[in-house]
Amino acid sequence: MSTPPALRIGVLAPLSRPGWTEAGRHLLAGLELAAEEINAAGGVTAGGVTAGGGGGGAGGIAAGEGGAGAGGTVASGIATATGPGGRPLELLVRDTAADPRRAEAAVDELAALGAVALAGEYHSVVARAVAARAEALGLPYLCSSAVIDALTDAPAERVARLAPPQSHGWRVYAEFLLAAGHTRLAVATEPSAYWAAGTRILRERLAPRGGTVTELDARALEPAALADALAADGATALLLLTGFPDPAVELVRAVRRDPRLAGVLIGAPAGQPEFAEWAALLGDEAGGVPFLRYLPARPTAPGARVEAALRDRLGAAPSFVAFEGYDTVTVLAGALRTHGTDRAALAEGWPAVAAAGTRGEIRFTRPSPSAPVWQWTGAPVQVADRDPADPTRFRTLLAR
């Protein structure tokens, strides 16, 4: 009996610099684990209208790591034998390298290869480019990890998102800072729509309490000069709104080793300390840097099972990004079972989604008529840090 043709899902992730490659690796681990489990259980029997997606065969995709050619292809797989009637999921993976133009080209390629939907991406500026191109092509896109509120410039029908919008998560982070007595903040920042949006959210949240936010240009100032500016400003907390590992790691070292700044809290709301590379590079200086992550205060039963499988796969504790990847494929598989492979029908089905994710039940709504995308509004939010006494351990400081 011949294997039924695969259902192709285009996957986008930052797998090379200057992207946050560890985030990309965790995202891909979650996506691949979910696809493998679904295929091992018999694949997907697509319902609804079946049209315009998911051909079989290799399609000229090269396997292995490290992008092949301009398209940034890194894998062609996760398509295995399935049970009677089920179609395997095939993930067509493209490395965005945190480059919006490269991501747009990948969307065009994946659409031409018959992907029924797109999934993934971590960097907000890249996800914006992906969302705009997917909407223009009529290709459903489930954004796994990017949080910028304005994921699209106008309301999009084809785009949905799992991660909570930045305005929600960063307001929780601001609440944490205010509760700890920090009303005078400094931010080490680089030019980016994402960092600019984060700075604006912090200012809006602190202003009613008399708080202030001073911007320090992390590109114009060397770490030592930025430490001098921080000492002169008198801020009690410095937030790292910068790339990782550079310049974030050197900024942490400069502040930690300056006796004038001994009482200054370092924060990283974008989540850099979540990843093992942070601890590996900073050692004993890695702890005590609060960051946002999107996990429940207590693991769900499905979350605990998936956590163990992801730990085996990664050889380390999985980040929240890995769970976002797993939940992405879970949602798409359920949508394919209900609505079939027709791209328009899939997108029309976003409000009907009800999926048991690793972090809670996933449903999509539009919080307002002007909301840019279909949004999971139940995503959990934590402020956490690495324990200064043992930076291999995480502490939950606030959960919402």
Side-chain angles (χ1 to χ4, degrees):
M1 184 175 64
S2 62
T3 301
L7 296 168
R8 290 178 160 181
I9 295 173
V11 169
L12 301 145
L15 300 173
S16 62
R17 300 291 187 197
W20 290 9
T21 57
E22 194 169 5
R25 188 169 66 89
H26 281 233
L27 178 59
L28 187 57
L31 290 158
E32 290 182 336
L33 175 64
E36 289 175 359
E37 291 183 351
I38 288 166
N39 288 346
V44 174
T45 302
V49 177
T50 301
I61 313 297
E65 294 195 358
T73 301
V74 297
S76 65
I78 318 304
T80 59
T82 60
R87 295 174 65 180
L89 296 178
E90 181 180 10
L91 304 186
L92 305 180
V93 183
R94 298 295 181 271
D95 174 15
T96 63
D99 183 341
R101 304 289 79 79
R102 180 169 174 167
E104 287 177 342
V107 172
D108 289 342
E109 180 196 6
L110 292 165
L113 288 170
V116 296
L118 299 177
E121 194 45 48
Y122 179 81
H123 293 289
S124 285
V125 293
V126 178
R128 271 180 53 84
V130 172
R133 192 63 186 147
E135 183 73 8
L137 294 175
L139 187 56
Y141 171 40
L142 180 51
C143 179
S144 304
S145 297
V147 300
I148 192 167
D149 283 62
L151 189 57
T152 56
D153 290 329
E157 294 302 321
R158 306 292 177 124
V159 183
R161 171 166 56 189
L162 286 177
Q166 186 180 12
S167 58
H168 176 57
W170 285 52
R171 283 171 186 158
V172 172
Y173 194 87
E175 288 176 17
F176 164 78
L177 292 172
L178 288 167
H182 297 287
T183 58
R184 190 165 182 176
L185 307 183
V187 294
T189 189
E190 295 177 313
S192 162
Y194 174 64
W195 299 130
T199 302
R200 183 176 64 253
I201 293 164
L202 293 168
R203 280 203 173 103
E204 290 172 353
R205 201 65 176 176
L206 267 66
R209 300 277 291 273
T212 61
V213 179
T214 300
E215 294 185 55
L216 303 175
D217 190 336
R219 289 195 176 177
L221 298 172
E222 294 294 323
L226 193 143
D228 290 340
L230 179 61
D233 181 77
T236 63
L238 173 69
L239 306 187
L240 304 175
L241 310 191
T242 68
F244 173 75
D246 299 319
V249 168
E250 289 306 318
L251 288 173
V252 172
R253 289 174 176 151
V255 173
R256 290 276 199 241
R257 298 172 188 183
D258 191 325
R260 298 173 298 172
L261 304 175
V264 172
L265 173 76
I266 302 175
Q272 298 96 315
E274 170 89 1
F275 300 103
E277 187 179 7
W278 175 275
L281 291 172
L282 283 165
D284 291 342
E285 295 175 312
V289 180
F291 62 93
L292 285 167
R293 63 179 180 176
Y294 308 117
L295 294 173
R298 295 181 180 178
T300 65
R305 181 193 68 78
V306 170
E307 191 275 341
L310 285 168
R311 185 182 290 270
D312 288 344
R313 192 180 197 95
L314 291 163
S319 70
F320 69 88
V321 181
F323 292 95
E324 289 174 329
Y326 188 96
D327 287 343
T328 298
V329 170
T330 299
V331 168
L332 288 175
L336 286 164
R337 291 187 185 104
T338 302
H339 302 289
T341 61
D342 180 72
R343 290 169 175 172
L346 273 176
E348 290 169 2
W350 291 133
V353 165
T358 59
R359 299 163 298 143
E361 185 180 53
I362 298 169
R363 294 178 180 270
F364 296 113
T365 62
R366 281 196 183 274
S368 71
S370 62
V373 300
W374 293 98
Q375 178 69 52
W376 180 32
T377 58
V381 178
Q382 286 185 18
V383 179
D385 73 354
R386 290 180 177 270
D387 188 341
D390 179 6
T392 65
R393 294 181 59 252
F394 291 105
R395 305 184 300 182
T396 299
L397 307 176
L398 179 66
R400 286 285 186 269

